[in-house]
Amino acid sequence: MTESARVTLSAVAERAGVSVATASRALRARGEMAADTRARVLRAAAELGYPGPGAGRGRPRRGTSLMFDLVLGHFHDPYTEEITAGARTTASSLGYDLVLTAERDDPAHDWPERIRSRGSAGVVVGLITPTSTQILAMHRAGIPLVLMEPPSESSRPLPSIRTTDRAGGSAAAEHLISRGARRFVVIGGAPSYRYGRGRVDGFTAALGELAPEAPCVRTSADWSAWDARRACARALSELGGEGPVGIFACSDEMAAGAYRAVADSGLGIPRDVLVVGFDDVRGARWLQPSLTTIRQPIREMAATAVRLLARSAAGEEVAPEAIVMPTELVERGSTRTAI
């Protein structure tokens, strides 16, 4: 008898502190019920490994369903559109459909429950670090997970796809120095995710080695252009020294905000200020001047994640390790100026 077969509905009810009838209704999504009560029952079922109604649907009896889920906190911005395009194209080429699944704040409608109910063959979780309860729910349903650019390290080892954030930040510093920058502004992201810290650390380490005496102001913004504009304006007002300014922003969107701050200050790009972003989303080449940026292979990363799921669905053992794909500096108009 398996571990999940030994778990009873009564045990789930006891763990959640509700009656058996209430636990049954919560698991079947029947009737009116407070959200926190339903969440307690679902959490208890996941922790105990209770399959619940339709849990046999975690994987279809005849084998793996021809469907993958892509879980993201939000869609319809340039970065997530690249993830979606890479995942969808590759899934289709392998004979799978791709379902777009949004993470929700309501624990009663958590994505693992929705994915288990439709029998997905695997899940790519992008820009989210799943909780131990979510990981356990997928493990007990036999549904593999692959992380793409997790913002922090997972509580359990899982396959993940990420890029060379620190090396990208270092390349940005080297490029700005080689193009004549003598003073620097670094715009990190807040919250300070794993990949943002790597980019800032790589930049500041290279700057400390190549131009240790150069004035540098470190600031942060909430990963938006609007907040980066505010942060960059303040940093420029605080920056001492003389000579061309080099700005490194940890995303292309924040680099776009830096463009506005530079214009607000009466300076010009690239005449007075050189700017490097990070990501190389489509909008980077349409800024005026076009943005020099650190390209991470977003579509290729999503495609690799889907291929890992396909291997797992075929019965192959996939190691719970990080696959790191290289960044590349793409030079455009924002740093093309005479030295």
Side-chain angles (χ1 to χ4, degrees), residues 221-281:
D222 65 3
W223 297 94
S224 71
W226 182 90
D227 201 39
R229 179 182 184 181
R230 173 202 57 78
C232 185
R234 181 171 181 176
L236 288 171
S237 70
E238 296 173 352
L239 185 62
E242 297 180 351
V245 176
I247 296 177
F248 173 55
C250 281
S251 74
D252 290 347
E253 183 171 352
M254 292 197 293
Y259 270 49
R260 296 298 301 271
V262 170
D264 293 342
S265 68
L267 301 174
I269 301 172
R271 184 187 68 242
D272 310 299
V273 180
L274 312 173
V275 183
V276 176
F278 203 110
D279 287 336
D280 196 24
V281 295

Side-chain angles (χ1 to χ4, degrees), residues 49-215:
Y50 180 74
R57 295 177 292 175
R59 283 285 186 93
R61 292 179 182 176
R62 65 181 178 83
T64 304
S65 65
L66 297 179
M67 175 174 62
F68 292 137
D69 275 77
L70 172 62
V71 177
L72 292 168
H74 60 275
F75 294 86
H76 308 306
D77 64 51
Y79 191 95
T80 58
E81 286 173 359
E82 290 292 301
I83 295 176
T84 302
R88 182 181 60 240
T89 300
T90 304
S92 178
S93 72
L94 295 172
Y96 288 83
D97 291 323
L98 184 73
V99 178
L100 304 184
T101 302
E103 184 185 42
R104 298 176 183 169
D105 293 334
D106 183 357
H109 299 283
D110 204 5
W111 56 264
E113 292 304 314
R114 287 177 277 144
I115 288 170
R116 286 204 318 173
S117 72
R118 56 180 171 256
S120 178
V123 185
V124 176
V125 182
L127 307 174
I128 299 169
T129 303
T131 66
S132 58
T133 299
Q134 291 170 332
I135 295 171
L136 185 60
M138 292 292 91
H139 175 72
R140 285 175 166 161
I143 300 175
L145 289 174
V146 175
L147 309 184
M148 178 173 165
E149 279 286 48
S152 60
E153 297 301 336
S154 172
S155 60
R156 297 188 177 205
L158 291 170
S160 67
I161 313 296
R162 51 189 72 184
T163 193
T164 51
D165 295 295
R166 185 180 178 92
S170 178
E174 293 170 4
H175 180 71
L176 287 171
I177 292 170
S178 72
R179 301 307 296 162
R182 296 295 176 261
R183 305 178 289 154
F184 300 89
V185 171
V186 185
I187 308 173
S192 180
Y193 297 130
R194 174 196 58 80
Y195 40 80
R197 291 194 302 271
R199 296 166 194 179
V200 171
D201 290 348
F203 186 92
T204 54
L207 187 63
E209 180 179 345
L210 299 174
E213 303 301 323

